[in-house]
Amino acid sequence: MRIAHKAGVALTSLVMAGGLVTATSGSAYAAADEVCGYPSVDVFNGAGQYAGSAMWSANPGCGVLGDSLGAYDATADGYGIVAYLNAPDGSSVRVVSTSGHNSPYTVWKSGNLPEDHQYVMWACLTKGGVVSHCTKNKIVYS
């Protein structure tokens, strides 16, 4: 049920996406999920409750541009979701955050990247500029 609900909310947000940045209104664990065919990692708060996701869109589809990093905040808990995309050498490629917006909320950031390159994606909870409860890294490709 959780995955079906998340996929439905994410798909609704994806259909509304477009442009460079698009938005709609403890420990962490990475789930081997995909949303609309996109690789994703799920963020859980310290109580083990689902808080949101980071998603990667290598190619255009479901209303999202290619080479896009997304962050989805599922709960009105005072925390935002920050998603990161780094090159294998650790240099930052994309960062996108839901901070400062009411949830549920999804935001995407895109821009052309070289084809068939490997990147590292992960997500964390954030509150007041403090990052916590990060997921494990997930390898994605452009």
Side-chain angles (χ1 to χ4, degrees), residues 20 66-67 93-94 110-115 119 142:
L20 184 59
D67 298 334
V93 176
R94 302 240 193 296
S110 64
N112 197 36
L113 295 172
E115 291 299 313
Y119 298 94
S142 56

Side-chain angles (χ1 to χ4, degrees), residues 69-91:
L69 179 66
Y72 168 63
D73 185 353
T75 60
D77 57 5
Y79 287 87
I81 303 294
V82 60
Y84 301 91
L85 185 72
N86 279 12
D89 68 3
S91 61

Side-chain angles (χ1 to χ4, degrees), residues 66-141:
D67 298 334
S68 296
L69 179 66
Y72 168 63
D73 185 353
T75 60
D77 57 5
Y79 287 87
I81 303 294
V82 60
Y84 301 91
L85 185 72
N86 279 12
D89 68 3
S91 61
S92 179
V93 176
R94 302 240 193 296
V95 178
V96 64
S97 176
T98 65
S99 293
H101 299 278
N102 294 327
S103 62
Y105 183 81
T106 301
V107 62
W108 290 90
K109 187 172 185 180
S110 64
N112 197 36
L113 295 172
E115 291 299 313
D116 301 318
H117 281 69
Q118 178 179 300
Y119 298 94
V120 179
M121 174 181 70
W122 75 97
C124 303
L125 290 178
T126 182
K127 186 173 190 174
V130 177
V131 173
S132 64
H133 306 296
C134 295
T135 66
K136 293 181 180 178
N137 293 344
K138 182 168 188 122
I139 302 298
V140 296
Y141 295 89

Side-chain angles (χ1 to χ4, degrees), residues 37-56:
Y38 304 133
S40 65
V41 289
D42 291 343
V43 181
F44 294 85
N45 63 24
Q49 298 168 325
Y50 174 72
S53 301
M55 302 153 292
W56 172 248

Side-chain angles (χ1 to χ4, degrees), residues 8-17 22 24-25 62 64 72 105-106 108:
V9 171
L11 182 56
T12 300
S13 298
L14 296 176
V15 170
M16 298 172 69
T22 304
T24 64
S25 193
C62 293
V64 177
Y72 168 63
Y105 183 81
T106 301
W108 290 90

